[in-house]
């Protein structure tokens, strides 16, 4: 019998999956949620763990598991240990580069979530949708 996979229909679905663990981390961490063509979760990968408030990202690493697992799309998520939900200029640039690379690889970047403390999160797709244009 096949295991039923969790489906992501909106940012809140992804946040529900990620916030409980990521909102309490004391170091910044970047995770990639790999999804199939039905937006069902194939895997969640920790791609980077930074120091207290930063991480260095290599865009190719963000797609490694999606390519390996034949994923159709990804959602990026990282936490801000400071609790702030405001994206940094680096957050926005990584998102731009990832969306652009995803188009070349034919792996859609559905969103990038910033996770704060206390269950709060921000969807960059909802608040900075121009990045996807």
């Amino acid at each position: 019998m096949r295991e039923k996979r969790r489906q992501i229909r909106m940012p809140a679905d992804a946040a529900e999956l990620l916030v409980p663990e990521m909102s309490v981390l004391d170091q910044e961490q970047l995770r990639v949620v790999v999804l199939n063509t039905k937006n069902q979760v194939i895997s969640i990968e920790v791609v980077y763990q930074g120091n207290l408030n930063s991480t260095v990202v290599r865009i190719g690493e963000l797609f490694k598991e999606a390519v390996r697992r034949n994923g159709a799309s990804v959602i990026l998520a990282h936490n801000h240990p400071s609790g702030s939900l405001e994206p940094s200029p680096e957050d926005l640039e990584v998102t731009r580069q990832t969306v652009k690379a995803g188009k070349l690889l034919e792996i859609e970047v559905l969103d990038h979530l910033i996770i704060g403390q206390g269950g709060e999160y921000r969807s960059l797709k909802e608040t900075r949708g121009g990045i996807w244009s």
Side-chain angles (χ1 to χ4, degrees):
M1 188 173 195
R2 287 182 60 114
E3 168 187 338
K4 182 166 167 81
R5 295 183 180 192
R6 177 173 247 170
Q7 188 173 36
I8 305 296
R9 292 185 177 93
M10 62 184 83
D13 296 334
E16 182 181 303
L17 190 62
L18 299 165
V19 164
E21 274 186 50
M22 294 185 74
S23 66
V24 297
L25 295 173
D26 58 0
Q27 291 183 320
E28 190 167 312
Q29 193 176 83
L30 174 65
R31 297 184 185 184
V32 176
V33 181
V34 180
L35 305 166
N36 66 17
T37 57
K38 295 179 181 177
N39 286 355
Q40 295 170 323
V41 176
I42 296 172
S43 71
I44 301 172
E45 307 295 330
V46 176
V47 181
Y48 285 98
Q49 182 150 332
N51 57 27
L52 186 62
N53 61 6
S54 68
T55 188
V56 177
V57 178
R58 186 174 163 270
I59 302 303
E61 288 293 314
L62 302 179
F63 291 99
K64 186 175 177 179
E65 278 303 304
V67 169
R68 193 174 83 70
R69 294 176 176 259
N70 204 24
S73 58
V74 296
I75 296 172
L76 307 179
H78 80 280
N79 64 309
H80 280 176
S82 67
S84 169
L85 296 177
E86 194 60 36
S88 69
E90 293 82 9
D91 294 340
L92 298 173
E93 185 56 29
V94 165
T95 305
R96 276 187 204 91
Q97 290 177 12
T98 305
V99 168
K100 188 175 179 180
K103 288 177 182 175
L104 290 172
L105 292 168
E106 297 180 357
I107 299 173
E108 185 177 3
V109 178
L110 297 179
D111 208 335
H112 184 168
L113 302 180
I114 297 175
I115 297 172
Q117 298 170 336
E120 295 184 340
Y121 72 94
R122 176 171 291 168
S123 159
L124 293 185
K125 182 85 177 250
E126 289 180 344
T127 60
R128 304 288 177 109
I131 292 172
W132 276 261
S133 301

